[in-house]
């Protein structure tokens, strides 16, 4: 997150948490000529369209008062999606003992893509351990370009 998105997240988190949701991420993206402020929320049991509408109407006045984005923008409140990369401590906790895929900046044991069960993580130490088909693999977080739930088709 950028400083701007960190500020937005800090201001809206209490309201969203009081509504029974968790702020998972905040992003500002350019999409063609438009600027979009994305607020991703999570709730056990899933996030529904009505939830997104309710959260949007509650946080819109807070964001408007902050006026954090110079140009006109669209506010989009959404579920993070099933394949969203793991970024926070809570993301990793939710993904424990589930299958994930890690893409690496540089190869480990000749591989730049590893699929395995998330067995351990320590974001303070900067390590993630996966149980792959070749056995346990401990990765440095700084070497991971993206780690997310693995979805089999």
């Amino acid at each position: 997150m950028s400083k701007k998105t960190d500020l937005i997240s800090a201001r809206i988190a209490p309201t969203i948490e009081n509504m029974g949701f968790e702020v998972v991420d905040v992003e500002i993206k350019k999409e063609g000529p438009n600027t979009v402020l994305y607020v991703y929320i999570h709730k056990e049991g899933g996030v529904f369209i009505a939830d997104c509408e309710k959260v949007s109407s509650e946080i819109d006045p807070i964001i408007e008062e902050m006026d954090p984005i110079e140009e006109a923008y669209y506010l989009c409140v959404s579920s993070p999606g099933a394949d969203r990369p793991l970024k926070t401590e809570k993301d990793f906790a939710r993904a424990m003992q589930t299958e994930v895929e890690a893409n690496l900046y540089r190869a480990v044991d000749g591989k730049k893509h590893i699929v395995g069960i998330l067995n351990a993580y320590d974001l303070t130490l900067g390590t993630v351990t996966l149980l792959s088909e070749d056995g346990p693999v401990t990765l440095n977080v700084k070497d991971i370009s993206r780690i997310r739930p693995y979805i089999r088709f």
Side-chain angles (χ1 to χ4, degrees):
M1 280 199 247
S2 70
K3 285 188 176 200
K4 192 178 288 191
T5 56
D6 286 343
L7 289 171
I8 295 168
S9 182
R11 280 291 295 279
I12 63 176
T15 299
I16 291 173
E17 289 167 6
N18 284 338
M19 297 175 74
F21 300 92
E22 170 193 340
V23 177
V24 175
D25 201 4
V26 175
E27 296 179 320
I28 299 171
K29 292 185 182 178
K30 282 298 257 183
E31 293 186 359
N34 301 314
T35 300
V36 182
L37 171 59
Y38 287 98
V39 175
Y40 298 102
I41 60 173
H42 172 77
K43 176 180 76 174
E44 289 302 320
V47 174
F48 300 95
I49 292 173
D51 297 327
C52 295
E53 291 171 349
K54 191 173 13 171
V55 169
S56 179
S57 68
E58 289 292 320
I59 65 172
D60 186 49
I62 298 168
I63 297 168
E64 283 294 317
E65 181 183 307
M66 289 179 68
D67 196 23
I69 303 172
E70 298 78 35
E71 66 270 11
Y73 63 92
Y74 294 97
L75 173 61
C76 179
V77 177
S78 174
S79 158
D83 65 346
R84 180 191 170 278
L86 307 178
K87 296 181 180 181
T88 67
E89 188 89 23
K90 289 181 180 180
D91 290 340
F92 281 91
R94 275 193 292 274
M96 280 298 292
Q97 302 306 316
T98 65
E99 200 167 35
V100 299
E101 63 179 328
N103 293 316
L104 309 173
Y105 290 116
R106 59 181 154 212
V108 172
D109 297 330
K111 296 180 181 180
K112 287 185 79 175
H113 181 257
I114 300 171
V115 175
I117 303 296
L118 179 60
N119 189 54
Y121 68 93
D122 187 327
L123 299 183
T124 305
L125 291 176
T127 60
V128 173
T129 301
L130 305 182
L131 300 178
S132 75
E133 61 186 25
D134 298 327
V137 180
T138 299
L139 305 168
N140 289 313
V141 172
K142 65 179 173 41
D143 295 334
I144 300 171
S145 64
R146 179 178 65 195
I147 185 168
R148 66 182 181 178
Y150 184 67
I151 300 173
R152 293 187 181 272
F153 292 98

